[in-house]
Amino acid sequence: MRHFFHLIAVSVSLLIMSLPAVAGSRPAIDVVIAMDVSGSMSGLIDSAKQRLWDVVNTFSRAHPQPELRVAIVSFGAPNYGINSGYVRIDQPLATDLDSVNETLFAFTTNGSDEYVARAIATSINQLDWSQSPNAMRVIFVAGNESAEQDPAFALEDVLARAVDMGIIVNAIYCGSENGSIAASWRQLALQTQGTFAAIDQSANVVAQIETPVDAQLAELSKELNKTYIPY
């Protein structure tokens, strides 16, 4: 998981450094945390919540300091109703990170169907994303069932919409990286040039899967490290 967050940190730093300098403005970053809260996540949800909060902190510590907004979306709870695909927006995009922390760590699990595609589609279509052409737009989705089981929304179509809007979707699969279900989560990340990580259910450890941009990011990381002055 350390490698996962290193890639995120490097990506954020490089993106912000590449943005055109505009006097009096800060880089705009919109981050959506989409969390599976179904009953099958029992025993894993606490670990997933902590990792997602680490993601938020990674973005908040970027330099120059960004105009960071974070939203929370949960899915897989039966009381959300079938009409929503068991998806709920718990917090719209906002700058209040204390509220993000409170909302995220208050989640508990309950049994229902986990529609990953619906959670992503809801995030794309119902949140007030930044309209700035230079904004960074990112979704982190975490869950442990197949990402392709939504009966009404095709995952590939939803991800194509994300690409059109310039949204990167990163996947945190709560299960073994070698399991058959992991393939749909891996493809989810690859289709939007995102990153995939897996939390092993049996050992509660995290494995990192290679992505097409790893080599480039590693090389850029080396170049970035040369700009630091030891103190």
Side-chain angles (χ1 to χ4, degrees):
M1 194 65 168
R2 183 177 301 172
H3 181 52
F4 178 67
F5 289 118
H6 176 68
L7 285 176
I8 294 170
V10 172
S11 298
V12 172
S13 297
L14 292 172
L15 175 77
I16 293 177
M17 290 170 60
S18 69
L19 295 179
V22 180
S25 69
R26 294 157 59 190
I29 300 179
D30 286 347
V31 177
V32 177
I33 302 298
M35 166 73 73
D36 179 356
V37 295
S38 64
S40 61
M41 283 288 289
S42 297
L44 279 168
I45 191 168
D46 288 339
S47 179
K49 286 189 290 189
Q50 184 59 57
R51 282 158 173 76
L52 289 169
W53 179 242
D54 290 343
V55 167
V56 173
N57 281 327
T58 297
F59 280 95
S60 68
R61 292 193 296 263
H63 294 285
Q65 186 177 29
E67 184 66 37
L68 176 65
R69 299 192 304 162
V70 181
I72 302 289
V73 175
S74 56
F75 61 100
N79 59 302
Y80 294 173
I82 191 171
N83 290 336
S84 69
Y86 307 111
V87 177
R88 184 177 72 185
I89 296 176
D90 297 275
Q91 177 171 310
L93 284 161
T95 58
D96 186 355
L97 297 188
D98 288 336
S99 179
V100 170
N101 180 284
E102 182 178 354
T103 300
L104 181 62
F105 283 92
F107 285 136
T108 57
T109 57
N110 200 351
S112 190
D113 294 312
E114 308 97 311
Y115 297 153
V116 174
R118 197 80 54 96
I120 298 172
T122 299
S123 301
I124 292 172
N125 298 325
Q126 297 185 28
L127 290 172
D128 182 25
W129 294 90
S130 172
Q131 297 303 304
S132 170
N134 298 319
M136 183 178 190
R137 305 171 187 86
V138 187
I139 296 173
F140 287 86
V141 57
N144 71 326
E145 297 292 343
S146 173
E148 299 177 317
Q149 65 181 9
D150 193 319
F153 283 64
L155 181 61
E156 185 174 346
D157 294 341
V158 172
L159 295 176
R161 171 66 173 158
V163 172
D164 289 342
M165 292 185 61
I167 298 173
I168 297 170
V169 183
N170 296 286
I172 300 178
Y173 172 57
C174 301
S176 170
E177 63 172 295
N178 297 317
S180 59
I181 295 177
S184 62
W185 289 82
R186 189 179 295 109
Q187 184 59 39
L188 183 161
L190 290 175
Q191 188 168 336
T192 64
Q193 294 298 302
T195 302
F196 167 85
I199 302 174
D200 192 312
Q201 297 203 47
S202 59
N204 199 31
V205 297
V206 179
Q208 172 65 28
I209 302 301
E210 297 295 323
T211 76
V213 298
D214 281 12
Q216 181 183 8
L217 286 175
E219 197 61 37
L220 290 171
S221 178
K222 292 179 183 178
E223 294 300 316
L224 185 63
N225 287 337
K226 294 177 182 178
T227 68
Y228 297 154
I229 300 176
Y231 176 75

